[in-house]
Amino acid sequence: MNRSNLSKLTNTNLAPLDILVVQWDFEARATDELTIKEGDQLYILSDTTDEWVLARRITGPQVDTSKVPSGLVPRPYLKMSPPSSRGSALYEYKAENKNCVNMSLGRKLDVYLIFGKWTLVKLDGFGGRPGGVGYVPGNYVEIFGDDDKEILQPSAFKEPPREV
């Protein structure tokens, strides 16, 4: 896919593929580009060219993504965003909106951000497919400490907490 086809994709119908962090400032020079600042964390929405990616700023779990600007940013200005910790799903969760991600019981994940009662995660891939990126209820996630080993068995709890 070339740059012109990439810029035709819309922000609203694409689920995040990954989370990257901006290394250097970039000022948009065209209407299909997104101005970014060093340290910004971005959702990557489409990753099909070597030079440009379609990105959107990370927002809270209840924000209407159709109102959040997205645009092309130069790939060399971005690097992988390291997670703050690792964790595991204590319960199954069905996504409420496009900012959230479905999560199965026992699924391993990386934790990136805690936003009130919500946690931004990237699920581990499974069967050769990449994991999803999005918010899940924070009380549905067990965060591993530095000295903890990842639990190999899913939680014994059957019902998720009533309050999300």
Side-chain angles (χ1 to χ4, degrees):
M1 181 178 289
N2 63 31
R3 179 189 159 122
S4 63
N5 290 340
L6 187 59
S7 67
K8 291 177 187 173
L9 296 173
T10 64
N11 174 10
T12 58
N13 63 358
L14 297 173
L17 302 173
D18 209 344
I19 300 170
L20 298 182
V21 66
V22 177
Q23 296 186 88
W24 305 288
D25 294 356
F26 171 76
E27 189 69 32
R29 296 181 206 121
T31 58
D32 63 349
E33 295 175 354
L34 181 66
T35 297
I36 54 177
K37 302 289 181 199
E38 181 181 349
D40 287 352
Q41 285 189 313
L42 305 173
Y43 287 130
I44 301 307
L45 303 175
S46 184
D47 186 17
T48 55
T49 74
D50 290 336
E51 296 178 21
W52 296 89
V53 295
L54 182 63
R56 177 178 70 223
R57 293 188 199 294
I58 291 179
T59 60
Q62 304 300 326
V63 173
D64 179 0
T65 58
S66 67
K67 296 181 169 67
V68 179
S70 65
L72 298 175
V73 297
R75 174 182 286 292
Y77 283 61
L78 306 174
K79 65 179 180 179
M80 294 302 295
S81 181
S84 60
S85 58
R86 289 278 296 157
S88 178
L90 292 170
Y91 310 101
E92 182 175 307
Y93 174 70
K94 297 289 183 201
E96 295 178 5
N97 61 44
K98 292 179 183 179
N99 292 329
C100 299
V101 65
N102 291 328
M103 178 176 70
S104 58
L105 174 69
R107 188 80 180 258
K108 300 296 183 266
L109 49 88
D110 288 327
V111 174
Y112 285 88
L113 177 68
I114 296 175
F115 192 91
K117 294 181 179 183
W118 296 89
T119 301
L120 179 60
V121 302
K122 179 178 177 183
L123 303 174
D124 285 1
F126 184 75
R129 295 185 313 228
V133 174
Y135 284 95
V136 297
N139 56 350
Y140 281 43
V141 174
E142 177 180 19
I143 296 176
F144 304 133
D146 292 336
D147 296 332
D148 292 343
K149 295 189 180 197
E150 293 187 18
I151 297 171
L152 299 177
Q153 297 295 325
S155 171
F157 298 112
K158 300 280 190 249
E159 294 294 319
R162 298 211 185 272
E163 183 182 314
V164 175

